[in-house]
């Protein structure tokens, strides 16, 4: 018995050592491109293509950040990006919550058919609808506006599905109690259900923040004036005019990534809770 009790802790330590070693190696592998880009942003361009590639900078130099900040009007492009991102996040949260509530709680004829058709559209690639989206935006007279950038992705089927799963996790008795107190469906949805699905709302907010912040191609198609470009699209100026100044390109990319990292750090707990709740549902 004494031998067994001694072997068990040893095997447990060995198992955890192997698991954490694999996790660390996987994390380093996933972070490799980001670390290389960060290293490039802190070094002169001539040191970019060293062999082997330098994951850590040979010496730290912040001149790339200062130069690219002076070359590009970052405050203006960040403001444009914040406008597009705010519109996209608010519209997705509001519309997905409104659409998911009846699909999860109410009983009406054709409910399962509507949900099935919504899920079926997820197999259609986003690029396949780009021409239709452009023609629609043009017909509405929204070319060159931020509404035209946000409207095609104002709500996504994935967000509706996520909120439906979250609403289904709310006890049905809660809605019954609201009905007994004389509350209507809108008040029940707003005051009783929404406070209980905050983690799922945080997941949508984070995913849409990243998607809208990194949106590159669609704003380039819709917006006519380069002064209205978001940050991801405006960074193409560095690729075009400074195609060999990789230090500037890396520095600009790092600046554009920092807000996403900050938002994720503040919403990480809600993201994990919302994702776990969606899978459980």
């Amino acid at each position: 018995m004494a031998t067994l009790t001694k072997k068990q802790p040893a095997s447990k330590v060995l198992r955890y050592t192997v698991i954490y070693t694999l996790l660390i190696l996987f994390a380093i592998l996933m972070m490799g491109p980001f670390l290389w880009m960060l290293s490039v942003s802190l070094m002169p361009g001539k040191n970019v293509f060293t062999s082997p590639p330098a994951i850590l900078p040979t010496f730290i130099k912040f001149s790339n950040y200062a130069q690219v900040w002076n070359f590009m009007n970052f405050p203006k492009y960040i403001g444009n990006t914040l406008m597009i991102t705010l519109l996209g996040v608010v519209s997705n949260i509001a519309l997905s919550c409104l659409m998911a509530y009846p699909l999860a709680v109410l009983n009406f004829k054709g409910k399962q058919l509507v949900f099935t058709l919504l899920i079926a559209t997820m197999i259609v690639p986003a690029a396949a609808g780009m021409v239709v989206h452009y023609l629609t935006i043009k017909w509405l007279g929204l070319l060159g506006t931020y509404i035209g950038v946000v409207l095609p992705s104002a709500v996504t089927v994935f967000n509706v599905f996520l909120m439906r799963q979250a609403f289904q996790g709310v006890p049905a008795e809660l809605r019954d109690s609201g009905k007994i107190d004389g509350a209507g469906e809108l008040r029940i949805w707003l005051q009783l259900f929404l406070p209980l699905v905050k983690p799922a709302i945080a997941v949508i907010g984070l995913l849409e923040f990243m998607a809208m912040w990194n949106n590159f191609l669609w704003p380039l198609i819709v917006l006519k004036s380069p002064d209205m470009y978001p940050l991801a699209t405006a960074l193409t100026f560095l690729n075009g005019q400074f195609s060999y100044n990789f230090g500037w390109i890396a520095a600009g990319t790092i600046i554009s990534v920092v807000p996403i990292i900050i938002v994720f750090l503040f919403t990480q707990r809600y993201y994990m809770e919302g994702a776990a709740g969606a899978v459980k549902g």
Side-chain angles (χ1 to χ4, degrees):
M1 294 296 294
T3 305
L4 291 176
T5 56
K6 290 181 180 179
K7 287 183 178 180
Q8 286 178 354
S11 62
K12 187 176 182 180
V13 171
L14 179 61
R15 184 172 71 253
Y16 277 108
T17 301
V18 172
I19 291 174
Y20 279 104
T21 301
L22 293 175
L23 289 175
I24 291 172
L25 292 175
F26 182 73
I28 294 175
L29 178 64
M30 297 300 295
M31 293 179 62
F34 177 79
L35 294 176
W36 179 81
M37 184 172 60
L38 179 63
S39 176
V40 169
S41 69
L42 297 172
M43 294 189 302
K46 61 182 180 181
N47 292 333
V48 171
F49 295 109
T50 57
S51 182
I55 298 298
L56 297 176
T58 55
F59 59 90
I60 296 177
K61 188 176 180 182
F62 292 96
S63 59
N64 287 329
Y65 289 91
Q67 292 170 4
V68 75
W69 186 273
N70 292 329
F71 173 75
M72 291 183 61
N73 191 349
F74 268 89
K76 178 181 69 177
Y77 293 123
I78 290 175
N80 297 342
T81 310
L82 285 175
M83 178 66 70
I84 295 173
T85 303
L86 182 63
L87 290 173
V89 170
V90 171
S91 64
N92 267 276
I93 291 176
L95 295 177
S96 60
C97 289
L98 285 170
M99 293 178 63
Y101 179 78
L103 291 174
V105 176
L106 303 182
N107 293 318
F108 56 90
K109 189 175 182 180
K111 170 183 171 180
Q112 192 59 40
L113 177 61
V114 171
F115 181 69
T116 303
L117 292 176
L118 284 175
I119 296 299
T121 60
M122 295 181 68
I123 66 175
V124 180
M130 191 168 292
V131 175
V132 177
H133 290 160
Y134 178 82
L135 294 175
T136 304
I137 296 300
K138 183 179 180 181
W139 180 75
L140 293 174
L142 296 176
L143 287 178
T145 65
Y146 291 140
I147 299 296
V149 175
V150 175
L151 188 60
S153 55
V155 62
T156 64
V157 177
F158 175 79
N159 291 339
V160 175
F161 172 78
L162 181 65
M163 290 308 306
R164 176 181 177 272
Q165 299 300 103
F167 283 134
Q168 285 184 335
V170 179
E173 293 78 8
L174 189 64
R175 177 171 176 263
D176 296 335
S177 64
K179 285 289 187 180
I180 294 174
D181 292 338
E185 291 294 347
L186 182 61
R187 186 176 178 185
I188 293 174
W189 170 76
L190 185 62
Q191 296 184 357
L192 298 181
F193 274 71
L194 286 187
L196 297 179
V197 295
K198 287 181 180 179
I201 294 175
V203 172
I204 293 177
L206 178 60
L207 294 179
E208 291 306 319
F209 181 89
M210 291 190 296
M212 292 294 177
W213 189 273
N214 293 323
N215 199 356
F216 162 74
L217 182 59
W218 184 245
L220 186 65
I221 296 173
V222 174
L223 298 177
K224 300 177 180 179
S225 173
D227 291 335
M228 298 180 66
Y229 283 171
L231 188 55
T233 307
L235 287 176
T236 56
F237 295 146
L238 299 178
N239 290 327
Q241 300 183 28
F242 297 93
S243 56
Y244 293 100
N245 196 336
F246 293 100
W248 282 35
I249 298 173
T253 305
I254 291 294
I255 293 174
S256 68
V257 169
V258 168
I260 297 177
I261 297 176
I262 294 174
V263 171
F264 180 78
L265 291 177
F266 279 101
T267 59
Q268 180 181 8
R269 179 171 64 90
Y270 295 104
Y271 176 80
M272 299 303 295
E273 292 178 2
V279 173
K280 186 185 299 182

